[in-house]
Amino acid sequence: MKPRRSCLYMPASNARALEKAKTLPADTIILDLEDAVALDAKDDARKAACDALAEGGYGKREMVVRVNAMDTPWFAQDMESICASKTDAILVPKIRSASDIAEISGIMDGEKATEKLSLWAMIEMPIAVLNIASIAEAVASTRLTTFVMGFNDLAKEMRAEQDRALFTPAMAQTIMAGRAYGLNILDSVYNDFKDPAGFEQECRQAKAYGFDGKTLIHPSQVDIANREFAPDDAKVAEAQAIVAAFKDPENADKGVITVNGKMTERLHLEQAEQTIAMAEAIAAADQSGTQ
Protein backbone atom coordinates (compact mmCIF):
# COMPACT_ATOMS: atom_id res chain seq x y z
CA MET A 1 0.00 0.00 0.00
CA LYS A 2 1.25 3.49 -0.84
CA PRO A 3 0.44 6.39 1.48
CA ARG A 4 -1.36 9.26 -0.22
CA ARG A 5 -2.33 11.19 2.88
CA SER A 6 -1.07 14.51 1.56
CA CYS A 7 -1.08 15.32 -2.16
CA LEU A 8 0.21 18.86 -2.60
CA TYR A 9 -0.38 20.94 -5.72
CA MET A 10 2.65 23.05 -6.67
CA PRO A 11 2.57 25.45 -9.65
CA ALA A 12 5.09 24.25 -12.22
CA SER A 13 5.63 27.84 -13.29
CA ASN A 14 7.08 28.74 -9.87
CA ALA A 15 10.74 27.70 -9.60
CA ARG A 16 10.84 28.37 -5.86
CA ALA A 17 7.82 26.14 -5.32
CA LEU A 18 9.41 23.30 -7.30
CA GLU A 19 12.54 23.54 -5.17
CA LYS A 20 10.62 23.83 -1.90
CA ALA A 21 8.66 20.68 -2.75
CA LYS A 22 11.88 18.67 -2.33
CA THR A 23 11.91 19.51 1.38
CA LEU A 24 8.25 18.99 2.27
CA PRO A 25 6.92 15.85 4.02
CA ALA A 26 4.11 15.38 1.48
CA ASP A 27 3.41 11.85 0.26
CA THR A 28 2.67 13.13 -3.25
CA ILE A 29 3.68 16.26 -5.16
CA ILE A 30 1.38 17.32 -8.00
CA LEU A 31 3.15 19.64 -10.44
CA ASP A 32 0.33 21.78 -11.79
CA LEU A 33 0.11 22.95 -15.40
CA GLU A 34 -3.57 23.87 -15.18
CA ASP A 35 -5.31 26.19 -12.69
CA ALA A 36 -2.17 27.48 -10.98
CA VAL A 37 -0.54 28.60 -14.26
CA ALA A 38 -1.36 31.76 -16.22
CA LEU A 39 -2.36 31.31 -19.86
CA ASP A 40 0.80 32.97 -21.17
CA ALA A 41 3.00 30.73 -18.98
CA LYS A 42 1.67 27.32 -20.03
CA ASP A 43 4.56 26.37 -22.31
CA ASP A 44 7.20 27.50 -19.85
CA ALA A 45 5.47 25.64 -17.02
CA ARG A 46 5.40 22.42 -19.03
CA LYS A 47 9.13 22.66 -19.71
CA ALA A 48 9.85 23.54 -16.08
CA ALA A 49 7.92 20.48 -14.88
CA CYS A 50 9.81 18.16 -17.23
CA ASP A 51 13.15 19.71 -16.27
CA ALA A 52 12.36 19.37 -12.55
CA LEU A 53 11.41 15.72 -12.96
CA ALA A 54 14.55 15.03 -14.97
CA GLU A 55 16.74 16.75 -12.38
CA GLY A 56 15.10 14.82 -9.53
CA GLY A 57 15.85 15.45 -5.89
CA TYR A 58 12.33 14.55 -4.74
CA GLY A 59 13.40 11.30 -3.14
CA LYS A 60 10.76 8.60 -3.08
CA ARG A 61 7.87 11.03 -3.10
CA GLU A 62 5.20 10.14 -5.64
CA MET A 63 5.33 12.66 -8.48
CA VAL A 64 2.23 13.56 -10.49
CA VAL A 65 1.66 16.18 -13.19
CA ARG A 66 -1.74 17.77 -13.68
CA VAL A 67 -2.06 18.61 -17.36
CA ASN A 68 -4.55 20.93 -19.01
CA ALA A 69 -8.00 19.63 -19.97
CA MET A 70 -8.66 17.69 -23.15
CA ASP A 71 -10.50 20.56 -24.85
CA THR A 72 -7.67 23.09 -24.39
CA PRO A 73 -4.96 24.00 -26.92
CA TRP A 74 -2.24 22.78 -24.53
CA PHE A 75 -3.47 19.24 -23.93
CA ALA A 76 -1.74 17.51 -26.85
CA GLN A 77 1.67 18.99 -26.10
CA ASP A 78 1.20 18.38 -22.39
CA MET A 79 0.55 14.71 -23.02
CA GLU A 80 3.47 14.32 -25.42
CA SER A 81 5.94 15.96 -23.04
CA ILE A 82 4.70 14.50 -19.76
CA CYS A 83 4.43 10.95 -21.11
CA ALA A 84 8.15 11.15 -21.84
CA SER A 85 9.00 12.61 -18.43
CA LYS A 86 9.92 10.91 -15.16
CA THR A 87 6.54 11.29 -13.51
CA ASP A 88 4.59 8.53 -11.80
CA ALA A 89 1.14 9.62 -12.94
CA ILE A 90 -0.73 12.11 -15.10
CA LEU A 91 -3.75 13.85 -13.57
CA VAL A 92 -6.30 14.97 -16.16
CA PRO A 93 -8.95 17.53 -15.17
CA LYS A 94 -12.57 17.78 -16.29
CA ILE A 95 -13.11 14.12 -17.11
CA ARG A 96 -16.64 13.51 -18.34
CA SER A 97 -17.01 9.87 -19.34
CA ALA A 98 -15.40 6.46 -19.65
CA SER A 99 -14.61 7.27 -23.27
CA ASP A 100 -12.38 10.13 -22.04
CA ILE A 101 -10.46 7.64 -19.92
CA ALA A 102 -10.08 5.25 -22.86
CA GLU A 103 -8.93 8.05 -25.16
CA ILE A 104 -6.36 9.42 -22.72
CA SER A 105 -5.05 5.96 -21.91
CA GLY A 106 -4.74 5.32 -25.64
CA ILE A 107 -2.74 8.52 -26.04
CA MET A 108 -0.40 7.40 -23.26
CA ASP A 109 0.09 4.08 -25.02
CA GLY A 110 0.66 5.86 -28.33
CA GLU A 111 3.31 8.05 -26.74
CA LYS A 112 5.02 4.85 -25.57
CA ALA A 113 4.76 5.84 -21.92
CA THR A 114 6.25 3.34 -19.49
CA GLU A 115 3.87 0.71 -18.15
CA LYS A 116 4.14 2.14 -14.64
CA LEU A 117 2.78 5.54 -15.72
CA SER A 118 -0.76 5.70 -14.38
CA LEU A 119 -3.75 7.92 -15.07
CA TRP A 120 -5.51 9.94 -12.40
CA ALA A 121 -8.92 11.47 -13.19
CA MET A 122 -10.42 14.59 -11.67
CA ILE A 123 -14.10 14.25 -10.83
CA GLU A 124 -15.28 17.85 -10.99
CA MET A 125 -17.99 17.92 -13.65
CA PRO A 126 -21.66 17.11 -12.98
CA ILE A 127 -21.74 14.66 -15.90
CA ALA A 128 -18.74 12.82 -14.43
CA VAL A 129 -20.65 12.25 -11.19
CA LEU A 130 -23.60 10.91 -13.18
CA ASN A 131 -21.24 8.63 -15.14
CA ILE A 132 -19.06 7.66 -12.20
CA ALA A 133 -19.74 3.90 -12.23
CA SER A 134 -18.85 3.49 -15.91
CA ILE A 135 -15.79 5.72 -15.48
CA ALA A 136 -14.58 3.58 -12.58
CA GLU A 137 -15.20 0.41 -14.56
CA ALA A 138 -12.69 1.65 -17.15
CA VAL A 139 -9.92 0.64 -14.73
CA ALA A 140 -10.12 -2.87 -16.17
CA SER A 141 -8.84 -1.85 -19.61
CA THR A 142 -6.96 1.43 -19.09
CA ARG A 143 -4.23 3.04 -16.99
CA LEU A 144 -6.76 4.56 -14.57
CA THR A 145 -5.84 4.14 -10.89
CA THR A 146 -7.09 7.17 -8.99
CA PHE A 147 -10.03 9.56 -8.63
CA VAL A 148 -9.44 13.12 -7.39
CA MET A 149 -12.45 15.16 -6.29
CA GLY A 150 -12.58 18.80 -7.44
CA PHE A 151 -15.30 20.70 -5.64
CA ASN A 152 -14.28 24.20 -6.74
CA ASP A 153 -15.07 23.40 -10.37
CA LEU A 154 -18.06 21.27 -9.45
CA ALA A 155 -19.58 24.19 -7.53
CA LYS A 156 -18.98 26.49 -10.50
CA GLU A 157 -20.59 24.07 -12.94
CA MET A 158 -23.57 23.60 -10.61
CA ARG A 159 -23.87 27.38 -10.07
CA ALA A 160 -23.80 26.57 -6.39
CA GLU A 161 -22.22 27.93 -3.24
CA GLN A 162 -19.09 26.36 -1.79
CA ASP A 163 -21.02 24.27 0.74
CA ARG A 164 -19.38 20.89 1.41
CA ALA A 165 -22.69 19.38 2.54
CA LEU A 166 -23.95 19.90 -1.02
CA PHE A 167 -21.30 17.50 -2.32
CA THR A 168 -22.07 14.63 0.06
CA PRO A 169 -23.98 12.63 -2.59
CA ALA A 170 -21.15 13.11 -5.11
CA MET A 171 -18.61 11.99 -2.54
CA ALA A 172 -20.62 8.89 -1.64
CA GLN A 173 -21.16 7.92 -5.29
CA THR A 174 -17.50 8.43 -6.17
CA ILE A 175 -16.21 6.52 -3.17
CA MET A 176 -18.56 3.60 -3.77
CA ALA A 177 -17.68 3.43 -7.47
CA GLY A 178 -13.99 3.72 -6.73
CA ARG A 179 -14.02 0.99 -4.10
CA ALA A 180 -16.13 -1.28 -6.30
CA TYR A 181 -13.38 -1.24 -8.93
CA GLY A 182 -10.30 -0.93 -6.71
CA LEU A 183 -9.41 2.71 -7.30
CA ASN A 184 -7.66 5.16 -4.97
CA ILE A 185 -9.79 8.18 -4.03
CA LEU A 186 -8.53 11.61 -2.93
CA ASP A 187 -10.59 14.39 -1.43
CA SER A 188 -10.78 17.91 -2.84
CA VAL A 189 -8.76 20.88 -1.59
CA TYR A 190 -9.60 23.06 1.40
CA ASN A 191 -9.39 26.65 0.19
CA ASP A 192 -8.75 28.54 3.43
CA PHE A 193 -5.16 27.53 4.26
CA LYS A 194 -5.18 30.03 7.14
CA ASP A 195 -7.84 27.97 8.92
CA PRO A 196 -6.00 24.91 10.28
CA ALA A 197 -8.84 23.96 12.62
CA GLY A 198 -11.35 23.86 9.77
CA PHE A 199 -8.93 21.94 7.61
CA GLU A 200 -8.31 19.38 10.36
CA GLN A 201 -12.06 18.87 10.79
CA GLU A 202 -12.50 18.35 7.05
CA CYS A 203 -9.63 15.83 6.97
CA ARG A 204 -11.30 13.84 9.75
CA GLN A 205 -14.59 13.85 7.88
CA ALA A 206 -12.90 12.79 4.64
CA LYS A 207 -11.14 9.90 6.36
CA ALA A 208 -14.42 8.82 7.96
CA TYR A 209 -16.10 8.87 4.53
CA GLY A 210 -13.39 6.58 3.12
CA PHE A 211 -11.00 8.86 1.24
CA ASP A 212 -7.35 7.74 1.08
CA GLY A 213 -6.03 11.27 1.51
CA LYS A 214 -6.50 14.89 0.57
CA THR A 215 -5.27 17.22 -2.13
CA LEU A 216 -3.67 20.37 -0.70
CA ILE A 217 -2.99 23.90 -1.84
CA HIS A 218 -0.43 25.02 0.76
CA PRO A 219 2.59 23.47 2.51
CA SER A 220 1.13 24.38 5.92
CA GLN A 221 -1.58 21.75 5.37
CA VAL A 222 0.82 18.81 4.89
CA ASP A 223 1.51 17.91 8.53
CA ILE A 224 -2.18 17.98 9.46
CA ALA A 225 -3.17 15.76 6.54
CA ASN A 226 -0.34 13.32 7.31
CA ARG A 227 -1.49 13.05 10.91
CA GLU A 228 -5.21 12.80 10.27
CA PHE A 229 -5.06 10.22 7.47
CA ALA A 230 -2.61 7.96 9.28
CA PRO A 231 -3.98 5.22 11.55
CA ASP A 232 -3.38 6.25 15.16
CA ASP A 233 -1.63 4.05 17.71
CA ALA A 234 -4.90 2.82 19.22
CA LYS A 235 -6.24 1.83 15.81
CA VAL A 236 -3.05 -0.05 14.97
CA ALA A 237 -3.06 -1.84 18.34
CA GLU A 238 -6.69 -2.86 17.81
CA ALA A 239 -5.84 -4.14 14.33
CA GLN A 240 -2.91 -6.14 15.65
CA ALA A 241 -5.13 -7.73 18.30
CA ILE A 242 -7.66 -8.78 15.66
CA VAL A 243 -4.99 -10.32 13.42
CA ALA A 244 -3.45 -12.16 16.38
CA ALA A 245 -6.83 -13.48 17.50
CA PHE A 246 -7.66 -14.93 14.10
CA LYS A 247 -4.21 -16.53 13.92
CA ASP A 248 -4.98 -18.48 17.09
CA PRO A 249 -5.53 -22.13 16.01
CA GLU A 250 -8.71 -22.21 18.10
CA ASN A 251 -10.22 -19.60 15.76
CA ALA A 252 -8.97 -21.05 12.47
CA ASP A 253 -12.40 -22.08 11.23
CA LYS A 254 -14.49 -19.41 12.92
CA GLY A 255 -16.24 -16.65 11.05
CA VAL A 256 -17.01 -14.62 14.16
CA ILE A 257 -14.96 -14.28 17.35
CA THR A 258 -14.72 -11.93 20.30
CA VAL A 259 -11.75 -9.58 20.51
CA ASN A 260 -11.43 -7.26 23.50
CA GLY A 261 -15.12 -7.76 24.25
CA LYS A 262 -16.29 -6.92 20.72
CA MET A 263 -17.89 -9.20 18.16
CA THR A 264 -15.37 -9.43 15.33
CA GLU A 265 -15.99 -10.92 11.89
CA ARG A 266 -13.56 -11.89 9.16
CA LEU A 267 -14.39 -8.68 7.31
CA HIS A 268 -12.86 -6.90 10.31
CA LEU A 269 -9.77 -9.04 9.84
CA GLU A 270 -9.38 -7.72 6.29
CA GLN A 271 -9.76 -4.15 7.54
CA ALA A 272 -7.23 -4.80 10.29
CA GLU A 273 -4.71 -6.16 7.80
CA GLN A 274 -5.16 -3.04 5.65
CA THR A 275 -4.63 -0.79 8.69
CA ILE A 276 -1.40 -2.57 9.61
CA ALA A 277 -0.15 -2.51 6.02
CA MET A 278 -0.75 1.23 5.79
CA ALA A 279 0.93 1.90 9.14
CA GLU A 280 3.95 -0.10 8.00
CA ALA A 281 4.07 1.75 4.66
CA ILE A 282 3.98 5.11 6.42
CA ALA A 283 6.70 4.04 8.85
CA ALA A 284 8.89 2.84 5.99
CA ALA A 285 8.42 6.12 4.13
CA ASP A 286 9.27 8.14 7.24
CA GLN A 287 12.38 6.07 7.94
CA SER A 288 13.61 6.55 4.38
CA GLY A 289 13.95 10.26 5.09
CA THR A 290 12.06 11.19 1.94
CA GLN A 291 8.80 12.23 3.51
Side-chain angles (χ1 to χ4, degrees):
M1 300 182 72
K2 187 169 186 61
R4 292 186 176 90
R5 301 164 295 173
S6 51
C7 301
L8 177 65
Y9 289 109
M10 295 296 253
S13 56
N14 186 326
R16 289 181 61 189
L18 297 184
E19 194 63 27
K20 184 177 180 61
K22 298 176 181 179
T23 69
L24 299 171
D27 290 330
T28 302
I29 300 295
I30 304 174
L31 305 182
D32 193 15
L33 307 183
E34 193 211 14
D35 287 345
V37 177
L39 299 184
D40 61 357
K42 296 288 189 181
D43 293 337
D44 290 341
R46 183 192 307 118
K47 183 180 185 302
C50 292
D51 289 347
L53 291 164
E55 179 182 312
Y58 296 95
K60 293 185 178 180
R61 292 173 185 83
E62 183 175 39
M63 301 301 294
V64 180
V65 179
R66 179 165 70 171
V67 299
N68 290 282
M70 297 176 72
D71 60 355
T72 68
W74 308 285
F75 175 73
Q77 186 59 56
D78 284 352
M79 292 299 295
E80 180 181 344
S81 298
I82 303 307
C83 281
S85 73
K86 294 183 178 181
T87 189
D88 295 306
I90 295 176
L91 173 57
V92 181
K94 297 177 176 58
I95 294 296
R96 291 174 168 79
S97 67
S99 63
D100 286 349
I101 300 298
E103 181 178 345
I104 296 165
S105 191
I107 292 171
M108 295 167 75
D109 292 342
E111 294 292 343
K112 295 180 170 46
T114 63
E115 290 185 2
K116 73 172 186 176
L117 184 62
S118 63
L119 170 59
W120 291 19
M122 291 209 68
I123 306 304
E124 56 186 346
M125 305 293 285
I127 192 63
V129 177
L130 297 179
N131 290 333
I132 197 64
S134 62
I135 295 174
E137 189 176 11
V139 68
S141 57
T142 67
R143 294 172 180 255
L144 179 66
T145 65
T146 304
F147 281 155
V148 179
M149 303 300 302
F151 294 141
N152 286 335
D153 276 273
L154 189 57
K156 177 178 73 71
E157 295 294 327
M158 294 172 64
R159 303 176 192 172
E161 298 293 332
Q162 273 288 349
D163 182 352
R164 187 167 171 85
L166 175 66
F167 306 123
T168 302
M171 284 190 277
Q173 287 177 262
T174 302
I175 292 167
M176 284 189 282
R179 295 304 178 216
Y181 293 98
L183 292 164
N184 309 302
I185 311 153
L186 302 173
D187 192 18
S188 184
V189 300
Y190 186 79
N191 295 321
D192 188 356
F193 61 86
K194 294 185 178 180
D195 177 22
F199 177 67
E200 180 177 308
Q201 181 179 4
E202 191 164 290
C203 284
R204 290 178 179 175
Q205 182 198 58
K207 182 181 178 183
Y209 281 4
F211 285 107
D212 295 304
K214 195 160 180 65
T215 49
L216 316 176
I217 60 169
H218 195 274
S220 65
Q221 298 175 322
V222 172
D223 287 338
I224 295 174
N226 283 349
R227 181 182 70 245
E228 293 302 326
F229 281 97
D232 60 32
D233 291 343
K235 191 75 173 177
V236 174
E238 180 184 29
Q240 291 170 333
I242 291 172
V243 171
F246 273 104
K247 282 186 176 179
D248 189 325
E250 292 185 4
N251 299 324
D253 298 324
K254 294 180 180 178
V256 181
I257 63 175
T258 300
V259 181
N260 295 332
K262 297 180 182 179
M263 184 187 76
T264 306
E265 303 178 52
R266 288 202 171 269
L267 65 90
H268 298 118
L269 172 61
E270 182 179 345
Q271 292 174 326
E273 290 171 338
Q274 290 173 345
T275 296
I276 293 170
M278 180 55 70
E280 291 175 346
I282 290 170
D286 290 343
Q287 289 172 5
S288 71
T290 61
Q291 297 295 309

